[in-house]
Amino acid sequence: MDRTPVGFSRRSLLTAGAGLTALGLAGCGAGSQPGSAETGPAEGSIALLTPIFDGTDGKHLLESVLLPKFRQQYPKVTVSVDYTTYDKLDAKITTGLAGGAPPDVLMLGVGWVEPFAARNVLRELTPAPSTGTYAADILDSCRYGGKLYALPVMLDSRMGLYRKDLLGKAGLTQPPSTLDEIRQYAVQLTDRQGGRLNRTGLDFLSLDTRQMFETVLFAFGGALFTAGKPTFQDERGVAALQWLTDLQRKDKVIDAGFSSTTTTSLPIADGRAAMAVAHNNWWPTILKTHPETKDQLAPFLFDQSKPSIFAGGTLVSVSAQSQHPWAAQALARYLGSADVSLAASQQRGNVPAQLSSFGLAVREGRSAGPVRPVQPEIRSARGRDAGLAADPQRVQSGRTSRIARAAVAETGIGRVGENSHRRDRQRGPEIAVR
């Protein structure tokens, strides 16, 4: 089961941009940005739209633990919560804008601030809060035009994950350190009997296809965008697609349909996979479904030469149309605090956005997630997925992201119907990215 916010930092961003354009919000109807830094009383009824704090546990954390603490500080503020998913977040926002009643506080993905701020959808956070506890590169995703419009709440990462016990049985004492080694390990660790796949050496079907492809693309030295132009279809993108295609078609490491983003049991947890392209928020799922495997799981980087992991994240911002902006800003600052960041990350298995959260976790004996040590490194990865951010006009169409996803799909990766009548599909990614 993949609880990844699908399209976390790219697909929903692009769709959101397209939705704004369709509503004609580029120049009007989105509210006006206050120009002063004056403050007012934090009071009134405000609405929060959030794609996190999902499920029974998340709702309990937010409404029974975190918001009561906020109300202790601001007794004149009441908060109503609208829960959604990242797949539906852009529609929720644009519907609210079109109706003239957007939520006061919005939780967004990395890469969403720029297009929304460019259209005066978001309000600048004034006076500017202290940002010394955040890594500088993480804050870049919260700014537009030199102004701060959001605060980070939690981060996401994608990484390799391997089973120490299964590698050990195969005589492999260390995780793979290069792409060639990953492929060699994957072939060696794959178990078939009578043509039936019992265990895949590398599961790359349980993670969202786009996020999986980006992880491999970056390991090949590629990028989605360079200087605002798409480059995922260059020779490095083709090489990444070919690598994935060969693992399935030539090496027979995995079969179409062996797993998917909707699987109820992750192969890396139940022993049907020795390695996987993984998301950090698989951790809570694994602890619930297969706690006996937690000591056998360990992460590895797909590209050891670069100290970074593909990262997205969740930000909190304030609507420019809020009728209670100071109450909304107070809630946004609270949701971006170290304690909330740690609690939310712990519930979802994410990485806290504030560097100070790690000290808090140590002092309180709380877990900050399985990839806690990589947070200082994770900060450098964000720009590789944010090529459109510098030019908000380029997000007027979701076509670019759909091309990236379609390119992977056209290779036949993970498809049940590989015997398509389209003969050129059998020729692999060279056709797909043409």
Side-chain angles (χ1 to χ4, degrees):
M1 176 174 56
D2 183 6
R3 295 185 178 179
T4 303
V6 177
F8 195 5
S9 54
R10 181 54 46 200
R11 179 162 63 90
S12 293
L13 161 64
L14 292 167
T15 307
L20 285 173
T21 303
L23 289 170
L25 297 174
C28 62
S32 58
Q33 171 62 49
S36 68
E38 60 186 270
T39 61
E43 59 184 30
S45 297
I46 58 176
L48 166 67
L49 177 63
T50 175
I52 63 173
F53 300 110
D54 52 324
T56 303
D57 291 344
K59 184 176 181 180
H60 173 78
L61 172 63
L62 179 61
E63 296 187 17
S64 300
V65 179
L66 299 178
L67 287 181
K69 292 181 180 179
F70 171 75
R71 286 193 290 267
Q72 288 177 3
Q73 299 179 47
Y74 300 96
K76 294 184 178 181
V77 179
T78 58
V79 182
S80 61
V81 184
D82 186 2
Y83 298 92
T84 187
T85 64
Y86 266 96
D87 273 349
K88 299 177 181 178
L89 181 60
D90 56 328
K92 284 268 191 179
I93 295 173
T94 51
T95 298
L97 290 168
D104 300 272
V105 180
L106 308 90
M107 302 194 86
L108 309 172
V110 167
W112 292 45
V113 166
E114 295 92 338
F116 283 136
R119 292 169 174 81
N120 295 325
V121 172
L122 304 180
R123 180 187 181 94
E124 180 187 1
L125 299 182
T126 56
S130 173
T131 56
T133 56
Y134 299 97
D137 288 349
I138 294 173
L139 282 175
D140 287 346
S141 62
C142 299
R143 293 192 174 98
Y144 176 73
K147 298 179 179 180
L148 186 69
Y149 287 91
L151 290 173
V153 178
M154 62 172 61
L155 307 178
D156 278 357
S157 62
R158 321 289 184 265
M159 73 211 81
L161 196 62
Y162 73 97
R163 289 282 297 259
K164 292 184 286 186
D165 53 343
L166 297 180
L167 265 67
K169 290 179 181 179
L172 302 170
T173 58
Q174 299 291 331
S177 59
T178 66
L179 286 167
D180 285 342
E181 277 195 356
I182 293 173
R183 184 171 179 178
Q184 293 168 10
Y185 276 37
V187 173
Q188 182 177 345
L189 292 164
T190 297
D191 176 36
R192 287 182 180 272
Q193 293 182 5
R196 176 186 174 86
L197 180 61
N198 295 320
R199 184 182 68 225
T200 175
L202 179 65
D203 172 21
F204 51 82
L205 299 183
S206 295
L207 185 64
D208 172 75
T209 303
R210 178 190 56 79
Q211 295 172 354
M212 176 275 294
F213 168 66
E214 288 173 332
T215 304
V216 178
L217 171 67
F218 299 158
F220 270 86
L224 289 176
F225 303 91
T226 301
K229 297 181 179 180
T231 54
F232 54 80
Q233 79 279 30
D234 66 10
E235 66 277 5
R236 290 164 296 188
V238 172
L241 283 173
Q242 193 68 60
W243 188 81
L244 290 164
T245 302
D246 289 346
L247 277 169
Q248 180 171 320
R249 293 186 176 180
K250 291 184 178 180
D251 301 332
K252 305 297 183 182
V253 163
I254 196 167
D255 292 340
F258 184 77
S259 187
S260 72
T261 58
T262 60
T263 184
T264 57
S265 180
L266 290 165
I268 193 71
D270 61 29
R272 292 182 299 122
M275 301 186 297
V277 188
H279 188 289
N280 58 257
N281 69 11
W282 286 9
W283 192 246
T285 300
I286 292 172
L287 291 180
K288 289 180 180 179
T289 60
H290 297 86
E292 71 281 359
T293 66
K294 67 176 183 179
D295 294 331
Q296 298 298 335
L297 295 171
F300 68 92
L301 292 175
F302 267 71
D303 184 358
Q304 296 287 338
S305 67
K306 296 181 177 63
S308 64
I309 297 176
F310 164 56
T314 301
L315 317 175
V316 60
S317 59
V318 173
S319 168
Q321 292 192 44
S322 175
Q323 299 301 304
H324 303 284
W326 313 122
Q329 289 209 44
L331 179 59
R333 293 166 193 261
Y334 174 71
L335 293 175
S337 67
D339 190 61
V340 173
S341 177
L342 178 59
S345 298
Q346 185 180 31
Q347 187 260 323
R348 287 177 61 91
N350 285 58
V351 182
Q354 289 206 39
L355 295 172
S356 59
S357 294
F358 299 116
L360 180 63
V362 172
R363 290 195 302 273
E364 298 187 1
R366 297 161 65 184
S367 169
V371 292
R372 176 168 57 89
V374 308
Q375 199 272 356
E377 301 173 351
I378 209 173
R379 61 192 181 189
S380 64
R382 175 252 169 191
R384 309 184 77 174
D385 193 39
L388 291 185
D391 186 359
Q393 298 304 316
R394 292 183 62 84
V395 301
Q396 291 185 0
S397 170
R399 179 174 179 270
T400 304
S401 182
R402 290 195 295 272
I403 291 173
R405 180 180 289 275
V408 179
E410 285 295 298
T411 67
I413 292 173
R415 288 197 171 194
V416 175
E418 285 193 67
N419 296 321
S420 169
H421 64 279
R422 290 184 57 185
R423 295 180 181 177
D424 62 1
R425 183 173 298 165
Q426 302 301 322
R427 294 174 57 189
E430 295 85 353
I431 294 295
V433 298
R434 188 169 54 192

